[in-house]
Amino acid sequence: MGAGTSPADPASAGREADGPDSAAEGGSTATGSTETGSGAEAGRPVSGAETGEPGGGAASAEPGGEPAAPRRSRRFPLFTRDTARPEGGGRAAPGDAPAPARQWPLLTVLCTAGAGLLIVALDPFAEAFRIGTVLIGAALIAGAVLRWVVPSVGMLAVRSRFTDLVTYGLMGTLIVLLALVAQPKPWLDVPILEDAVRFTIR
């Protein structure tokens, strides 16, 4: 019984006769009217922060009444799930072609460099180490040329086109030059290198 009522009061007797179900319905109705009234009376949309929805504080309501999309964070993710394909990293052949044909630029460079390594390792003839090393450098230079000429080189593309071009070309040129000036009986005489070696030995 509520405060200020007596058992003889007919209104209280009528409420008790209705039972607890009616009281529960009345309580839910009153609660619902209170909840709906808090937003309707103010004349503004209820935000997610008031209703307790996740991410409600980040979303703001537009003039039309629709909530705006939540703002994405510009921070890098904790775990990297994907990487961007480098420039020119697409297939070098149509998709219905076999896998070796789709990666022919990379296979060309790898096979040429592998042949040079095999020649150096087996040493089947005179000056084999020099020829094999020149072949390895030529393979890298060919990779730089393919990276520059062919629009899509598949897995031969590691970084941007400019970076791959400089890396492959510079490494291949240095390997070829070192193979040509290697002792004994170098195929290329560079006076600057001879002076540097003599100065270092002295």
Side-chain angles (χ1 to χ4, degrees):
M1 292 190 301
T5 60
S6 63
D9 190 2
S12 61
R15 292 194 203 99
E16 291 176 357
D18 292 339
D21 295 336
S22 61
E25 293 177 0
S28 62
T29 307
T31 305
S33 61
T34 305
E35 291 178 356
T36 55
S38 60
E41 292 175 1
R44 57 180 177 80
V46 180
S47 62
E50 296 176 357
T51 58
E53 296 178 357
S60 60
E62 295 181 353
E66 298 179 357
R71 183 182 302 174
R72 291 185 178 181
S73 175
R74 298 182 63 181
R75 295 181 180 179
F76 289 103
L78 183 60
F79 298 102
T80 302
R81 301 182 183 277
D82 195 5
T83 56
R85 178 183 294 178
E87 179 187 2
R91 291 189 295 263
D96 55 351
R102 294 197 297 267
Q103 300 294 335
W104 68 265
L106 178 64
L107 292 177
T108 301
V109 174
L110 289 179
C111 290
T112 307
L117 288 173
L118 191 62
I119 292 174
V120 173
L122 297 179
D123 196 10
F125 49 85
E127 301 291 338
F129 79 96
R130 196 184 308 272
I131 294 175
T133 310
V134 169
L135 201 58
I136 295 172
L140 291 175
I141 295 175
V145 173
L146 289 174
R147 191 71 174 94
W148 183 26
V149 174
V150 181
S152 298
V153 293
M155 295 177 65
L156 187 64
V158 180
R159 307 164 195 86
S160 65
R161 192 181 301 275
F162 176 77
T163 305
D164 286 344
L165 182 64
V166 172
T167 304
Y168 294 151
L170 186 60
M171 291 180 61
T173 303
L174 288 177
I175 291 174
V176 170
L177 288 177
L178 290 174
L180 293 178
V181 301
Q183 298 292 335
K185 298 179 181 180
W187 290 3
L188 180 64
D189 293 329
V190 181
I192 299 176
L193 294 178
E194 293 180 0
D195 296 339
V197 171
R198 289 174 184 173
F199 179 77
T200 305
I201 293 176
R202 288 179 185 176

